[in-house]
Amino acid sequence: MSDTYDVIVIGAGPVGENVADRTRAAGLSTAVVESELVGGECSYWACIPSKALLRPPAALAAARAVAGAREAAGGRLDAAAVLARRDSFVSNWEDDGQVSWVESTGADLFRGHGRLDGPRTVTVEAPDGGVRRLTARHAVAVCTGSAAVVPDLPGVADARPWTSREATSAKEVPGRLAVVGGGVVGVEMAAAWAALGSRVTLLMRGDRALPRMEPFAGELVAEGLAAAGVDIRAGVSVTRVDRAGSSGPVTVSLDNGERLDADEILFATGRAPRTTDLGLETVGLEPGSWLETDDALRVQGVEGDWLYAVGDANHRSLLTHQGKYQARVVGSVIAARAAGAPVDGTPWGPHAATADNMAVPQVVFTEPEAASVGLTAREAERAGRRTRVVDYELGDVSGAALYADDYKGRARMIVDLDRNTVVGATFVGPHAGELLHAATVAVTGEVPIDRLWHAVPSFPTMSEIWLRLLETYRG
Ligand SMILES: Cc1cc2nc3c(=O)[nH]c(=O)nc-3n(C[C@H](O)[C@H](O)[C@H](O)COP(=O)(O)OP(=O)(O)OC[C@H]3O[C@@H](n4cnc5c(N)ncnc54)[C@H](O)[C@@H]3O)c2cc1C
């Protein structure tokens, strides 16, 4: 293997894999450096195992919501079978399949820890201690992702808390689980382990779950968790954690003076960039910082347009689909620059990740699901937009009523009155995540409301919510 490549990609999570795929497709020689499993956090300890854990309870809930099917779905989830299915989705934490895929693109894979060592240079420290020095002709793409943050509280280190890694890979169901954090990871993992049989307590600092979404999303998701048996305590902070002995239960102390006992405690309290030991200081950047980029994913503060940060590492949007979108953009940017072409930064050009700024879709896979794209009402107000908020009960749509008896859910559409377009939408309800992409197309495409009126949803599907929202808007 040559030690000089057109492009060096550090980190082979979903984002790094896609950057390499795009640069190889453009005919650029590409090295990929990975210190753990090819496929990254998403494949083994995040998106895939969490959704594999959440799908069986969702399937059971869907059957139980329909008279006639309900009578046949009276049993309990088979936790061992759910965990085994999860294990198969993560290929038992072996990455042979993804290694083959990377190799099939023609990229060279280097196993080891990558570090920048000055401009366009990356050293790779292999597991056996050997060090290889790689040079990039055109670009280095940092795709090192993020890691869970555990707050530095008294007793925490000795309590061996779960992070998202343990919460998605545990082999046994804890009898009692305390979950700290009411964001997406907290509510999803509370839902999953409660469904598998844990007595779950969800501890949230704020007054509601999912604080970044419309308030009704957090309220309906919390109602669903409570109905599933989760004990929700809002407005509390953990002050210390004590584990009895090496394998005894943990006692969690709260700032309101209460204590609770659990067999495991999960901290779902945020993410930090994996840039601490990356040699950032050799190119004038701060180790441990998120890498700020422009819309072409070029790292700011570095001369020469050779360093890119893509995916979680740049903190634009901590979601796999947005990171893979950025990977497609950066692939075009690097290929264009390598060919000497100018990088065109128009909003709809292939060289600018503009969707990160206006139309980021996200689905929370709880029961009910919560799905949103674009601005919330509050964000639109803060941005000084002149908007109208249109709400509709999803259960009043015939497709939803057919989907589940007593369907409960809500939809919200935010219309920008000056542009006459949809700038945000939220759907909460069973299976509501599938409604989201139409909203993403409407927001991204800036489809005028008068034109959207002609996009006729099929009867009787849940997508008829679009018709109801538009009718309500028009009055
Ligand atoms: C519990 C949980 C559930 C989630 N569910 C979803 C979901 O349903 N949908 C969704 O869109 N997003 C979800 N996310 C977010 C998603 O996991 C991340 O946005 C995604 O993994 C980011 O991809 P990435 O390639 O940037 O980073 P990662 O997936 O973190 O991959 C980074 C890779 O870089 C490697 N690496 C790091 N440093 C070095 C180094 N110095 N040298 C060599 N290699 C290095 C790592 O080993 C890793 O393989 C979830 C996150 C969590 C925690």
Side-chain angles (χ1 to χ4, degrees):
M1 285 181 198
S2 155
D3 283 352
T4 299
Y5 289 85
D6 291 326
V7 181
I8 302 172
V9 178
I10 311 179
V15 175
E17 287 181 318
N18 275 268
V19 173
D21 184 44
R22 298 323 303 152
T23 55
R24 281 299 304 134
L28 299 172
S29 65
T30 304
V32 177
V33 185
E34 173 54 53
S35 58
E36 293 187 77
L37 295 178
V38 175
E41 208 72 13
C42 176
S43 302
Y44 305 100
W45 300 285
C47 329
I48 296 298
S50 62
K51 269 75 251 182
L53 291 174
L54 285 159
R55 177 62 197 142
L60 189 58
R64 285 184 178 161
V66 179
R70 181 180 305 135
E71 290 70 14
R76 294 166 60 92
L77 279 180
D78 179 340
V82 173
L83 296 178
R85 184 169 181 270
R86 182 272 321 264
D87 292 354
S88 80
F89 267 94
V90 297
S91 310
N92 288 301
W93 292 275
E94 286 174 8
D95 65 359
D96 320 26
Q98 304 224 33
V99 169
S100 303
W101 184 82
V102 169
E103 288 172 350
S104 76
T105 67
D108 288 341
L109 175 64
F110 291 83
R111 295 248 187 213
H113 189 97
R115 287 184 191 87
L116 293 165
D117 189 13
R120 297 170 203 267
T121 307
V122 174
T123 59
V124 184
E125 185 181 340
D128 65 5
V131 176
R132 200 78 188 253
R133 198 177 164 80
L134 308 178
T135 308
R137 283 187 204 94
H138 299 299
V140 175
V142 174
C143 309
T144 51
S146 65
V149 173
V150 175
D152 186 18
L153 296 169
V156 158
D158 292 334
R160 298 181 312 284
W162 278 10
T163 66
S164 47
R165 282 206 167 190
E166 291 77 18
T168 50
S169 62
K171 295 279 189 184
E172 282 170 20
V173 180
R176 297 162 300 176
L177 174 66
V179 177
V180 187
V184 179
V185 174
V187 297
E188 284 191 346
M189 291 298 90
W193 290 104
L196 288 169
S198 282
R199 284 213 323 271
V200 176
T201 307
L202 179 61
L203 304 165
M204 310 188 300
R205 209 160 39 180
D207 57 357
R208 64 183 164 87
L210 301 176
R212 294 199 181 156
M213 287 188 155
E214 297 283 5
F216 70 84
E219 287 157 18
L220 290 174
V221 166
E223 273 179 34
L225 288 172
V230 175
D231 176 4
I232 301 177
R233 318 244 183 120
V236 293
S237 293
V238 175
T239 54
R240 67 173 294 131
V241 184
D242 296 282
R243 189 179 286 277
S246 59
S247 59
V250 289
T251 301
V252 187
S253 304
L254 305 177
D255 61 348
N256 62 4
E258 284 180 29
R259 288 168 158 221
L260 66 104
D261 292 329
D263 297 292
E264 300 294 350
I265 180 167
L266 160 64
F267 280 96
T269 41
R271 311 285 300 173
R274 291 183 67 174
T275 58
T276 311
D277 185 14
L278 191 61
L280 288 185
E281 65 286 357
T282 69
V283 295
L285 297 170
E286 183 69 28
S289 58
W290 298 104
L291 294 173
E292 195 193 330
T293 69
D294 62 8
D295 283 350
L297 290 321
R298 290 175 290 209
V299 175
Q300 302 299 279
V302 174
E303 292 293 306
D305 284 354
W306 61 273
L307 186 64
Y308 297 80
V310 199
D312 277 16
N314 65 28
H315 208 226
R316 288 167 70 94
S317 168
L318 305 190
L319 289 163
T320 292
H321 45 268
Q322 290 305 121
K324 285 162 72 171
Y325 158 73
Q326 293 168 13
R328 296 190 287 276
V329 169
V330 90
S332 321
V333 169
I334 293 171
R337 287 189 63 83
V343 168
D344 124 50
T346 62
W348 308 119
H351 302 140
T354 45
D356 286 344
N357 309 323
M358 61 176 306
V360 174
Q362 176 158 30
V363 177
V364 184
F365 291 81
T366 41
E367 197 59 35
E369 291 179 351
S372 68
V373 64
L375 301 176
T376 62
R378 188 143 180 252
E379 286 166 347
E381 192 188 317
R382 276 192 187 152
R385 309 283 273 262
R386 218 168 53 84
T387 56
R388 194 171 137 204
V389 176
V390 184
D391 287 336
Y392 203 87
E393 294 301 314
L394 251 172
D396 291 345
V397 172
S398 46
L402 281 161
Y403 181 83
D405 302 341
D406 303 320
Y407 188 105
K408 190 168 178 204
R410 195 175 309 162
R412 170 169 286 184
M413 175 174 84
I414 314 286
V415 180
D416 183 316
L417 295 172
D418 295 316
R419 302 177 69 100
N420 197 33
T421 58
V422 179
V423 290
T426 299
F427 305 94
V428 184
H431 209 50
E434 295 299 337
L435 295 170
L436 192 62
H437 193 60
T440 306
V441 173
V443 173
T444 314
E446 298 181 280
V447 184
I449 291 281
D450 297 342
R451 188 81 196 125
L452 215 45
W453 186 248
H454 295 277
V456 182
S458 295
F459 176 81
T461 63
M462 272 166 46
S463 290
E464 277 203 299
I465 184 64
W466 281 98
L467 178 56
R468 302 295 169 231
L469 287 167
L470 291 169
E471 283 173 342
T472 308
Y473 177 67
R474 287 193 150 191

